[in-house]
Amino acid sequence: MKAEDLRSKTPDQLRDELVALKKEAFNLRFQKATNQLENTARIRQVRRDAARVSTILNEKAAEAAAN
C-alpha cells in the first residue's frame, strides 16, 4: 500500500481501511499464538500499513483544522 494511493482517499475511506487492517492484525496475532501463521512477514506489513493510514488521517485532520 502506497502513501500516494492513500492520500487520494477520503477520510471515511481511510477510517474503513484502518478498521480492516486492525481486524487483520488481530487475526494474525491469533494465528501466531496458535502456530497457524504461515507468512510471518504479513504481521509487520499490516502493522506498518495501519500506521501509514493513521498518519495520513492525522495529516488530513491537521490540514482541515488549518483551513
Side-chain angles (χ1 to χ4, degrees):
M1 181 176 314
K2 295 194 176 211
E4 288 178 22
D5 301 335
L6 294 174
R7 284 196 173 89
S8 65
K9 293 186 178 186
T10 65
D12 288 335
Q13 290 172 324
L14 289 172
R15 284 187 205 96
D16 291 343
E17 184 76 28
L18 188 59
V19 168
L21 286 167
K22 289 192 177 208
K23 283 181 183 178
E24 184 177 356
F26 177 80
N27 289 331
L28 289 171
R29 282 196 308 273
F30 263 82
Q31 287 178 16
K32 183 180 177 190
T34 58
N35 292 322
Q36 295 175 346
L37 185 62
E38 293 179 13
N39 184 4
T40 57
R42 184 71 182 140
I43 293 175
R44 178 181 184 187
Q45 190 177 15
V46 169
R47 191 176 67 235
R48 289 188 176 193
D49 283 347
R52 196 171 288 122
V53 169
S54 183
T55 298
I56 291 173
L57 264 173
N58 287 334
E59 286 176 358
K60 285 184 181 268
E63 181 181 313
N67 292 333

